[in-house]
Amino acid sequence: MKRPGIFITGTDTNVGKTVVAAGIALALKERGLKVGVMKPVATGCEGNEKYLVSHDAVYLWEAAENEYPSLTNPSRFRNPLAPHVAATLEKKSVNIEGLKKAYRELQKHYDFVIVEGIGGLFVPLTKDYFVSNLIKDFDLPCVIVAKSVLGSINHTLLTIDAALVRGIDIRGIIFNRVPVVNYSLAEITSPRAIHELTGVPILGSIPEMDGLDVSSCRFGRLQQVFEERIRIDKILGDPSFAS
Ligand SMILES: Nc1ncnc2c1ncn2[C@@H]1O[C@H](COP(=O)(O)OP(=O)(O)OP(=O)(O)O)[C@@H](O)[C@H]1O
Ligand SMILES: [Mg+2]
């Protein structure tokens, strides 16, 4: 049986994919689901060569309380670069078949698997295989994490177009780091403009939060923010397995 899940992509690096993936994990766990998390490829990892560690993977892992570290983050590189570039520099490669195998294995253990991409849709994992290919091969719908600052309409529409052209199902957009005070005109108007121009649902927005940090593994009020502000039902899709 095909087990459900979601792929978290973004308009860019550093937009909040890890925060969103962790927030979804916390919210689904609260609903009684056994949630698996995966960061198939991570770069900018730390630690010794035998055991490179990704902050993203640790954050997801802690949020979901998972049990299979080798499946969560199978491919790791030290240099903070696109995977294909980091792999070339480090004289390694990204084993795409290995990623698919790890994902299939995770699906067996969990009700719902949340996969965080790397950068945006056109980040190369090998010279001819991109994040968009991985989403298709995992056969998952995606959530797009975006900013609402000036320039976001262009970045978000490019991402939506690239996904739709490739037949990737978009569940919706989550805007991150939306200021609650001192916001700009662009920050007030961009989300609605993006929805009106594309028809893609807006699943909610996450404010700039104190007490939340991926690198030191702090969640702050993330779970509460997701309960109050994010349309978890839309991310789940078919609710029958969650009841
Ligand atoms: N809503 C928020 N409030 C405060 N800090 C945030 C928020 N969202 C993200 N951050 C911080 O911004 C940084 C980037 O967020 P995050 O790691 O989730 O982005 P990403 O898209 O996953 O990045 P990458 O491309 O490296 O995987 C992190 O240090 C995180 O702690
Ligand atoms: Mg991340």
Side-chain angles (χ1 to χ4, degrees):
M1 183 192 98
K2 185 175 174 245
R3 298 260 184 144
I6 195 85
F7 196 106
I8 312 301
T9 189
T11 53
D12 201 354
T13 186
N14 224 29
V15 282
K17 295 181 295 295
T18 306
V19 165
V20 166
I24 296 171
L26 292 169
L28 296 189
K29 233 174 48 181
E30 183 64 22
R31 284 163 174 69
L33 288 175
K34 212 173 160 218
V35 186
V37 280
M38 187 178 192
K39 173 88 184 179
V41 189
T43 60
C45 297
E46 294 174 0
N48 69 44
E49 210 43 47
K50 279 221 166 92
Y51 200 75
L52 286 172
V53 177
S54 147
H55 287 302
D56 284 12
V58 171
Y59 199 73
L60 297 180
W61 172 267
E62 288 290 326
E65 299 176 284
N66 275 188
E67 297 158 73
Y68 308 97
S70 58
L71 300 178
T72 299
N73 185 208
S75 189
R76 302 179 296 275
F77 300 92
R78 185 178 297 283
N79 288 285
L81 297 167
H84 173 55
V85 185
T88 306
L89 200 68
E90 296 173 32
K91 298 187 174 27
K92 298 181 194 164
S93 60
V94 176
N95 175 357
I96 304 293
E97 285 311 312
L99 302 182
K100 292 187 209 167
K101 202 168 157 222
Y103 174 63
R104 282 196 299 270
E105 199 56 37
L106 268 183
Q107 282 186 305
K108 289 184 198 158
H109 295 289
Y110 296 102
D111 299 326
F112 192 95
V113 180
I114 303 164
V115 183
E116 182 192 344
I118 179 158
L121 288 178
F122 281 170
V123 166
L125 306 189
T126 73
K127 69 174 172 27
D128 54 8
Y129 190 98
F130 299 82
V131 167
S132 57
N133 296 107
L134 195 66
I135 303 176
K136 287 293 287 179
D137 282 346
F138 282 9
D139 196 16
L140 283 172
C142 76
V143 163
I144 297 170
V145 185
K147 299 177 195 171
S148 52
V149 292
L150 190 61
S152 309
I153 295 179
N154 178 51
H155 286 143
T156 312
L157 264 57
L158 284 170
T159 301
I160 291 169
D161 188 63
L164 294 180
V165 162
R166 282 158 187 78
I168 295 169
D169 174 24
I170 306 170
R171 283 278 152 83
I173 306 165
I174 295 179
F175 291 93
N176 187 31
R177 304 194 90 152
V178 175
V180 281
V181 287
N182 297 330
Y183 32 78
S184 65
L185 197 52
E187 284 164 323
I188 305 173
T189 52
S190 297
R192 173 179 286 202
I194 289 168
H195 175 62
E196 284 175 357
L197 290 164
T198 65
V200 175
I202 306 299
L203 304 178
S205 63
I206 306 172
E208 181 67 34
M209 278 188 282
D210 291 331
L212 173 146
D213 182 49
V214 171
S215 59
S216 57
C217 210
R218 290 188 298 143
F219 296 94
R221 293 176 55 250
L222 188 59
Q223 182 169 349
Q224 196 183 337
V225 164
F226 262 71
E227 292 299 341
E228 290 169 2
R229 303 179 62 131
I230 304 297
R231 301 184 64 181
I232 300 293
D233 56 319
K234 294 274 179 199
I235 296 171
L236 273 172
D238 174 12
S240 58
F241 71 92
S243 53

